[in-house]
Amino acid sequence: MSKLRIWLIIIALGAWTPSQALAQTLSVAVPRIQHLLTADNSGIYQQVMALALEGSGIALDQKFLPYRRALREFELGEVDCIYSFTGILQSRLGVDKVIYTYPLGTFRFYLFTEPGTAIMTSIPDTFGKTIGGIIGHDVYLKPFMEQGMVIDWVRTEAQLVEMLELGRLDAIVAALPDIQPFTNQLAYAADQPLLEDFDRLNCHNTEQNRTAIRTISEKLRRLHGQGRYEEVAGDYYLPFSHP
């Protein structure tokens, strides 16, 4: 090998940085989750993710989509990644087909009623009652529906609360932190969620995506440990621990 070629290789290596090695743009399906994922990319999870991506060489091309379409585009391989739905995607595609980051946050589904009325904590409590839920949440609530919970679907948490106050619903099945702004108008058993899980960024299991997931997860873990999650989320932050 000539001396000139050796010097060119040395110069190239000197200019190389880890972030350049990871330079990657991930296409991401973004389902609407109140306050957490928004069309203008200002949602809490999107803000936390932006902090995690700083200096990583990784960028996100985010597509804001309805729940079912977001899931469909990921399942068809039309996007690299999707926010949320980790367990659902693993059950549909296989646990070895989906990889995911350190949690962006946690969510908990509860049955909410009006203050002064009986608190509901289980599926049998809903039998014979009119229960309201958010369109798209059926992907999470299907097991409860299979046990006999009947749900009327609406588009927003604000609509649910209004219908409850008007007497058109006996209870609401909804998630925290999504419905957090309305909790002072609702009664629920904080220590008895129907369902609790983590929200993450999930990607198809490829070598390139595995590298990106590791990089993002390391930064997310540090941000969580530094209290940055709570700083960004404010009143919407739900404490959680994760190894």
Side-chain angles (χ1 to χ4, degrees), residues 1 76 114 127 144 168 199 218 229 242:
M1 183 180 293
L76 292 175
E114 279 204 285
F127 294 166
F144 306 132
R168 294 171 58 187
D199 278 322
E218 288 171 7
Y229 278 32
H242 192 277

Side-chain angles (χ1 to χ4, degrees), residues 22-28 53 56-62 80 216:
L22 291 173
Q24 181 178 1
T25 298
L26 300 170
S27 57
V28 181
L53 295 179
S56 70
I58 302 168
L60 303 185
D61 177 16
Q62 303 189 71
D80 299 306
I216 294 170

Side-chain angles (χ1 to χ4, degrees), residues 110-174:
Y110 292 95
L111 286 164
F112 296 92
T113 56
E114 279 204 285
T117 62
I119 291 176
M120 299 185 187
T121 60
S122 66
I123 308 306
D125 290 342
T126 70
F127 294 166
K129 305 292 185 181
T130 305
I131 311 299
I134 297 292
I135 293 172
H137 282 180
D138 55 296
V139 296
Y140 290 112
L141 301 176
K142 183 179 178 181
F144 306 132
M145 296 161 65
E146 291 173 345
Q147 295 176 55
M149 182 187 290
V150 179
I151 303 174
D152 292 343
W153 304 105
V154 303
R155 293 190 178 277
T156 69
E157 285 77 9
Q159 286 178 283
L160 284 178
V161 174
E162 181 180 5
M163 291 173 69
L164 183 68
E165 292 177 340
L166 291 173
R168 294 171 58 187
L169 297 173
D170 297 306
I172 292 168
V173 58

Side-chain angles (χ1 to χ4, degrees), residues 223-241:
L223 290 169
H224 185 217
Q226 293 164 357
R228 298 299 300 278
Y229 278 32
E230 187 170 4
E231 180 182 315
V232 172
D235 291 341
Y236 294 100
Y237 177 72
L238 291 183
F240 71 90
S241 58

Side-chain angles (χ1 to χ4, degrees), residues 21-238:
L22 291 173
Q24 181 178 1
T25 298
L26 300 170
S27 57
V28 181
V30 184
R32 172 197 169 274
I33 302 181
Q34 187 78 3
H35 313 293
L36 305 179
L37 296 169
T38 61
D40 63 0
N41 295 337
S42 67
I44 290 167
Y45 289 163
Q46 290 154 311
Q47 292 182 52
V48 171
M49 185 60 71
L51 292 174
L53 295 179
E54 288 180 357
S56 70
I58 302 168
L60 303 185
D61 177 16
Q62 303 189 71
K63 300 172 63 177
F64 191 74
L65 301 167
Y67 261 63
R68 290 185 181 85
R69 184 177 168 192
L71 279 166
R72 188 65 175 160
E73 290 214 3
F74 182 81
E75 290 173 334
L76 292 175
E78 295 179 6
V79 292
D80 299 306
C81 308
I82 185 173
Y83 284 104
S84 198
F85 308 120
T86 304
I88 294 162
L89 291 168
Q90 288 185 321
S91 66
R92 291 185 182 185
L93 302 179
V95 294
D96 60 332
K97 301 296 184 182
V98 181
I99 55 177
Y100 49 82
T101 64
Y102 183 86
L104 288 158
T106 188
F107 64 90
R108 299 170 191 142
F109 275 93
Y110 292 95
L111 286 164
F112 296 92
T113 56
E114 279 204 285
T117 62
I119 291 176
M120 299 185 187
T121 60
S122 66
I123 308 306
D125 290 342
T126 70
F127 294 166
K129 305 292 185 181
T130 305
I131 311 299
I134 297 292
I135 293 172
H137 282 180
D138 55 296
V139 296
Y140 290 112
L141 301 176
K142 183 179 178 181
F144 306 132
M145 296 161 65
E146 291 173 345
Q147 295 176 55
M149 182 187 290
V150 179
I151 303 174
D152 292 343
W153 304 105
V154 303
R155 293 190 178 277
T156 69
E157 285 77 9
Q159 286 178 283
L160 284 178
V161 174
E162 181 180 5
M163 291 173 69
L164 183 68
E165 292 177 340
L166 291 173
R168 294 171 58 187
L169 297 173
D170 297 306
I172 292 168
V173 58
L176 283 173
D178 312 26
I179 203 167
Q180 191 277 336
F182 304 101
T183 51
N184 63 343
Q185 301 166 242
L186 302 168
Y188 67 105
D191 61 340
Q192 297 183 63
L194 291 175
L195 170 66
E196 182 174 7
D197 207 342
F198 295 112
D199 278 322
R200 310 170 184 266
L201 182 72
N202 311 284
C203 299
H204 293 289
N205 190 359
T206 67
E207 183 177 354
Q208 191 174 29
N209 288 350
R210 286 195 295 272
T211 300
I213 288 289
R214 284 195 296 270
T215 299
I216 294 170
S217 290
E218 288 171 7
K219 187 63 177 293
L220 288 174
R221 186 177 286 104
R222 288 199 297 271
L223 290 169
H224 185 217
Q226 293 164 357
R228 298 299 300 278
Y229 278 32
E230 187 170 4
E231 180 182 315
V232 172
D235 291 341
Y236 294 100
Y237 177 72
L238 291 183

